[in-house]
Amino acid sequence: MPRHAFSLFSLLLAAVPAYSASPQDAQGLWLSADKAAVIEFKPCADAPAALCGQIVWDKDAGTPEDTCGVRIAKLQTFDGEAWRQGWVHDPRDKKNYKGAIRVKHDGKVLAVRAYIGTEMLGETEEMTRTDTVPSGCKAH
């Protein structure tokens, strides 16, 4: 790459404001990537400094595949970039994994990363913020 092209690219990158998330930005309702569930993230009842996620709506509510009320995340610390030091649960395989949660795109996207060992080897699901919970799940 020519030197002047690199400098122009660096200038353009510097001009794009970075989104700086706070620990509270992950709280709220999030629609799963496959639009099959809504997860509520909020402080954990059993550890108020930690962040927990629980399924509050599932398209399969009332069927044997119903995951309403399942806790899918518990992360202990926010390091200025992401929630870490905890686990995320995949209800499809019923396993817990190490996890990290980041808020992206001006608070509109929640990136939930599940991994074994190192974060580089994991998978990320991007959820979108929502304001409503469809009916279907019973109160837990």
Side-chain angles (χ1 to χ4, degrees):
M1 176 185 315
R3 184 178 184 143
H4 65 281
F6 180 77
S7 297
L8 180 61
F9 179 74
S10 297
L11 271 173
L12 289 173
L13 257 178
V16 176
Y19 177 71
S20 179
S22 75
Q24 293 77 26
D25 289 345
Q27 294 180 25
L29 299 171
W30 299 91
L31 182 62
S32 64
D34 63 2
K35 300 183 178 6
V38 173
I39 295 91
E40 180 178 25
F41 283 91
K42 63 184 181 181
C44 302
D46 59 344
L51 180 72
C52 284
Q54 182 173 343
I55 297 173
V56 295
W57 175 78
D58 176 3
K59 72 172 179 65
D60 294 323
T63 71
E65 291 79 29
D66 185 349
T67 59
C68 291
V70 172
R71 184 182 278 187
I72 64 128
K74 184 174 184 180
L75 298 145
Q76 302 293 332
T77 59
F78 183 77
D79 65 10
E81 173 199 6
W83 280 95
R84 301 179 192 279
Q85 294 184 4
W87 52 267
V88 296
H89 177 76
D90 185 341
R92 295 168 292 201
D93 65 12
K94 298 177 176 50
K95 292 183 181 178
N96 287 355
Y97 299 92
K98 291 181 182 180
I101 295 178
R102 291 177 178 78
V103 178
K104 300 167 39 177
H105 304 293
D106 293 331
K108 297 176 186 160
V109 173
L110 189 71
V112 179
R113 186 142 183 96
Y115 60 95
I116 298 173
T118 179
E119 193 174 335
M120 286 181 15
L121 301 177
E123 288 185 23
T124 300
E125 177 174 344
E126 290 193 345
M127 301 180 185
T128 54
R129 190 175 291 280
T130 185
D131 294 326
T132 60
V133 178
S135 61
C137 284
K138 296 179 182 95
H140 291 274

